Amino acid sequence: DALRRQTMIIDYNAMEWQENPGFKGGEGIFLNKMYDDGTNKMMTGRLKPGCSIGYHRHEANCEIIFVIEGTGEVVYDGEKFEVGAGQCHYCPNGHEHSLSNHGKTDLVFYAAVPGQ
C-alpha cells in the first residue's frame, strides 16, 4: 500500500518540464509534466504563443483538457472553437482534435487521458 499512498498526491511542482517538439505533428514545442500509471495519463501542459499539439484521433481512449491560463483554439472533428481559462474541452474516443496557442501569452492546461 506504500505505492498507493505515494500515487494519491501527484506533485507537478516537483517535476521538470519535458520538451516535446512537433508533438502529434504540431508546431513548436509542447512542454509537459506527466504522470502515467500505465492505465491513465495526467499532465500539466504548456504551449507558448505559436505552438500547437497536432490534429490526432483518439482510437482507444478519450482526453479531457481544462485550461488554466491563456487562450487557444481547439479543432474538434474539423470544427474550430476558441477556448480560455476556466473552460474544458472533451474529446471522446473515436474523435479527432488539436490544440493551438494563437495568443500572446502561454496557454497552460491540465489534461487527463483515462484508460489508455
Side-chain angles (χ1 to χ4, degrees):
D1 275 82
L3 177 59
R4 182 177 173 183
R5 281 193 297 275
Q6 283 180 338
T7 60
M8 295 304 290
I9 301 295
I10 300 163
D11 186 358
Y12 291 101
N13 296 316
M15 295 179 188
E16 297 292 323
W17 287 103
Q18 301 299 309
E19 293 187 358
N20 303 278
F23 189 71
K24 304 274 186 189
E27 297 294 321
I29 297 172
F30 164 52
L31 298 165
N32 76 325
K33 297 179 181 185
M34 184 185 323
Y35 174 83
D36 183 347
D37 69 2
T39 301
N40 303 293
K41 289 182 182 178
M42 297 168 276
M43 73 190 80
T44 296
R46 179 179 299 271
L47 290 171
K48 296 195 174 292
C51 294
S52 65
I53 295 171
Y55 196 67
H56 62 282
R57 182 177 189 83
H58 282 263
E59 295 287 348
N61 55 35
C62 64
E63 185 169 15
I64 302 137
I65 299 173
F66 180 81
V67 179
I68 299 167
E69 297 175 23
T71 59
E73 180 182 84
V74 169
V75 177
Y76 173 72
D77 287 344
E79 190 174 348
K80 294 180 181 181
F81 299 92
E82 293 296 316
V83 66
Q87 293 182 315
C88 185
H89 162 61
Y90 173 56
C91 183
N93 183 19
H95 294 266
E96 300 173 323
H97 71 152
S98 66
L99 177 64
S100 59
N101 182 354
H102 297 300
K104 296 181 192 269
T105 61
D106 287 1
L107 175 61
V108 181
F109 57 93
Y110 172 81
V113 181
Q116 328 179 49

